[in-house]
Amino acid sequence: MVRTGLSALLIIGTWATAGLTQASASSGSPSSAEPQASAGIVTAMQRDLGLTKSQAEARLTAEKAATALQGKARSAAGASFGGTWFDAATGKLTVAVTDRAKAGAVRATGAETRVVAHTARELDAVKAELDALSAPGGVSSWHVDPRANTVVVNVVASERGDNDVRAFVAKARKAGPVTVKQTAEAPQTFAAGTVGGDPYYTGNVRCSIGFSVHGGFVTAGHCGQAGGAVRGWDGSAIGTFQGSSFPENDYAWVNVGSGWWTVPVVLGWGAVSDQLVRGSNEAPIGASVCRSGSTTHWHCGNVLAKNETVNYQQGAVRQMTKTSVCAEPGDSGGSFISGDQAQGVTSGGWGNCSGGGETWHQPINEILNRYGLTLHTA
């Protein structure tokens, strides 16, 4: 049986780093010698997205190009910018603009365009008004949807008639363009009680590692508080939580010592090959993304939304990315990766990997910036 979790990622550094160089930068920029798409990523995309091998490889190539194009296309749109997303059907980045006169300049960058009524700035302002409201438990989340050019409020289907939910929705509609959608369940975090042989523990909680950084690793904030001790699968001390934030955010980082060290690898759990991490360029809405966690191992899906506010029972968490990837208790803190680019750490969601569901992650670059950390890259 493959040794799971933190120990496999950190202890076997000699094996995991064989053939890696020290010259790679940690800024998220790809190297000049472009590596081939990981066989493990391609395999998981075939299984979870229903693609052929060639379709998965072509999509990863197109998504990488779209990710690199986002900044240039946004600059070309100027004040009329309405948001971006990756269109899997065309294989291109699409940019929403409110000014038709800007469409030509955006297309000149290589992106497609769509003319919309509201700018991203206007929609962000509407979302900010919703963030200032107190949301009842029946309201699961809200985010800006650039494709629909509106702010989407997700309501738990069984709670849609609740008076507090109706009142929240009424206030939201007054703020600006708002669309209400239904979701099957309320979101919850994916921490779990102690189970023998799992990747790391703090108190009676089991969680999963996110990504190695120089000096430690990042994970979910709801997994532990600053100062809390962290133990490995064998019960030996690893380090302590050096920083943690939850709710409002859901991120934390743990220092590594006592003979443990870090490598730029995300575990494939024997289902796929272990994945090298080469940077942290943020994939656009619509791009594929895969997740690694100690409970359900490897699963893939698509990026559904960004900057979503998630209304957990413990409080709201902001600036989250929503995906169609499934997860279950114990996967909290685990890695979200697109191609070879780190995306974020697993926070929570609804559903499971038998019947499906949705999962949110806290973006990796926000965590790195908050704590002044450097991602360990291959």
Side-chain angles (χ1 to χ4, degrees):
M1 180 177 178
V2 176
R3 173 66 66 192
T4 62
L6 185 64
S7 59
L9 181 61
L10 301 181
I11 287 182
I12 54 180
T14 302
W15 167 80
T17 57
L20 304 186
T21 67
Q22 298 296 318
S24 299
S26 60
S27 64
S29 299
S31 62
S32 56
E34 296 293 344
Q36 295 294 317
S38 161
I41 292 286
V42 171
T43 299
M45 289 175 67
Q46 289 178 256
R47 179 194 66 195
D48 294 338
L49 299 180
L51 304 176
T52 65
K53 182 175 183 290
S54 61
Q55 287 173 332
E57 290 173 339
R59 179 160 174 176
L60 285 170
T61 299
E63 288 174 353
K64 188 170 187 177
T67 297
L69 186 61
Q70 289 182 102
K72 185 177 181 181
R74 177 168 187 160
S75 295
S80 74
F81 177 72
T84 63
W85 61 93
F86 175 78
D87 189 333
T90 64
K92 290 188 175 183
L93 183 75
T94 300
V95 180
V97 294
T98 57
D99 184 355
R100 290 183 181 275
K102 292 289 187 179
V106 174
R107 285 194 293 270
T109 70
E112 298 291 332
T113 60
R114 180 185 297 176
V115 178
V116 296
H118 308 287
T119 65
R121 182 185 295 273
E122 291 170 342
L123 295 176
D124 287 343
V126 174
K127 180 182 177 294
E129 287 194 42
L130 272 60
D131 283 345
L133 300 176
S134 177
V139 177
S140 65
S141 64
W142 52 95
H143 69 273
V144 171
D145 183 349
R147 288 171 290 193
N149 199 227
T150 186
V151 174
V152 174
V153 175
N154 294 294
V155 173
V156 179
S158 61
E159 300 292 328
R160 63 186 184 277
D162 178 80
N163 288 337
D164 290 338
V165 170
R166 293 163 65 91
F168 181 92
V169 169
K171 291 179 181 178
R173 293 189 188 282
K174 290 180 180 179
V178 166
T179 300
V180 178
K181 294 185 176 181
Q182 294 183 19
T183 187
E185 301 175 31
Q188 61 181 342
T189 56
F190 285 129
T194 300
V195 177
D198 291 308
Y200 84 85
Y201 307 92
T202 176
N204 66 342
V205 172
R206 168 171 65 89
C207 280
S208 302
I209 191 169
F211 292 94
S212 290
V213 296
H214 290 287
F217 66 85
V218 294
T219 186
H222 70 262
C223 290
Q225 298 181 345
V230 174
R231 309 185 308 280
W233 64 270
D234 59 354
S236 66
I238 297 172
T240 60
F241 281 89
Q242 298 296 298
S244 179
S245 179
F246 179 78
E248 186 64 28
N249 305 293
D250 194 4
Y251 51 60
W253 83 281
V254 175
N255 70 325
V256 168
S258 304
W260 299 71
W261 63 87
T262 65
V263 291
V265 172
V266 173
L267 289 176
W269 307 99
V272 299
S273 59
D274 292 348
Q275 310 299 307
L276 294 177
V277 179
R278 300 186 185 275
S280 59
N281 289 328
E282 187 176 334
I285 293 171
S288 63
V289 67
C290 297
R291 180 193 54 73
S292 178
S294 63
T295 299
T296 59
H297 302 170
W298 265 95
H299 287 276
C300 296
N302 298 309
V303 177
L304 300 179
K306 294 186 178 184
N307 191 25
E308 182 154 34
T309 299
V310 182
N311 191 35
Y312 292 129
Q313 183 179 6
Q314 301 94 326
V317 177
R318 312 188 195 285
Q319 297 180 317
M320 302 275 271
T321 296
K322 180 163 67 175
T323 75
S324 62
V325 187
C326 67
E328 294 180 11
D331 287 327
S332 278
S335 322
F336 265 89
I337 188 168
S338 182
D340 56 12
Q341 300 294 304
Q343 298 298 302
V345 299
T346 304
S347 173
W350 62 268
N352 55 53
C353 290
S354 296
E358 295 175 338
T359 302
W360 287 269
H361 68 73
Q362 184 87 67
I364 183 68
N365 289 327
E366 180 183 357
I367 308 171
L368 300 177
N369 292 335
R370 169 63 179 83
Y371 294 118
L373 301 170
T374 301
L375 185 67
H376 195 165
T377 57

